[in-house]
Amino acid sequence: MKYVKLSIQEPVAVVTIDRPDCLNALNSQVFREISATLQEVEANDQVRVVILTGAGDKAFAAGADIAQMVHENGKQGKELALLTHQAGDLLENIRQVTIAAVNGYALGGGCELALACDIRIASENAHFGLPEVGLGILPGGGGTQRLSRIIGVGRAKELIFTCDQVDAQEAYRIGLANHVVPQEELMDACMAMAKKIASKASFAVTMAKNAINVSMSADMKSGCSKEQDLLGLLFATQDKQEGMTAFLERRKPNFTEF
Ligand code: HXC
């Protein structure tokens, strides 16, 4: 891979967008490499959590590559949107939990990748924003759909219509960032959360992720029905037996299923 680096420290995979000269701007190849890397990671039974970050200390990703997009027509624009959505869908739906380690600017398509992750942890120098309408386009990598689900329709409309950036503290205040930490502590903080999540019953975590994702598009009745089905499925697992037996025997559980 030219622009995306994968480092596996079981049970965690770190995926790094590596184009620091242009603030990790996302061209078509970067999006393809992110998706290919996530597919590789999803097939790895030893990886339970994926951390997505950007190389350097200035940017997570400063958006889709404007130097590429300036030459593109409508058909190519739609193809780019498809590539960004493929990467976003993987971040949102792979069986592993995904954490965005937002180490600087997360703008446009970069912000949209962070929005597709399950959890966002920001360094103090992080800035989030969707500047697309200032370029004559719209947030076409899931931003018009995911931002409002995370921070509410009113705030999402304001940020998208004004192109205002929010800093890390404001992102935390409005629920866009789960935590804010000093930049030098960012990867340790993400790793600590990843290991905590990986210590739980991984198959149960994946099922909980599925059920929560369903809540974003289903009505209450069908969402609750899905939840009941998944609970029934989990009651039939070895890990449920192990987790509950370990509690009663006052020992740590030894979970095995994924
Ligand atoms: C291409 C980019 C880039 C981008 C930065 N660079 N962002 N190149 N695409 N999105 C390049 C610059 O051209 C410059 O290259 C180098 O990175 C450093 O950037 P500077 O602007 O010099 O840095 P600074 O002054 O610190 O400003 C940082 C910044 C600014 C505020 C992040 O770079 C910026 O506003 N970038 C664009 C952000 C943006 O509009 N993103 C949304 C794109 S639209 P040189 O060669 O001069 O050193 C989008 C659509 C998604 O994402 C939907 C698609 C389907």
Side-chain angles (χ1 to χ4, degrees), residues 116-146:
C117 290
D118 297 314
I119 291 163
R120 285 155 292 285
I121 303 183
S123 59
E124 282 167 345
N125 66 326
H127 285 84
F128 296 80
L130 291 170
E132 282 91 340
V133 300
L135 296 167
I137 56 171
L138 59 68
T144 63
Q145 305 303 302
R146 291 196 177 98

Side-chain angles (χ1 to χ4, degrees), residues 65-125:
D65 191 331
I66 299 170
Q68 171 186 316
M69 291 188 294
V70 70
H71 303 295
E72 291 186 331
N73 60 25
K75 183 169 174 282
Q76 291 165 314
K78 195 163 176 196
E79 281 163 9
L80 183 66
L82 184 68
L83 291 177
T84 68
H85 277 270
Q86 279 169 347
D89 284 351
L90 282 162
L91 287 165
E92 192 167 78
N93 295 309
I94 57 173
R95 61 186 176 144
Q96 288 88 356
V97 170
T98 52
I99 299 176
V102 182
N103 56 315
Y105 289 110
L107 302 178
C111 184
E112 292 174 303
L113 288 177
L115 291 172
C117 290
D118 297 314
I119 291 163
R120 285 155 292 285
I121 303 183
S123 59
E124 282 167 345
N125 66 326

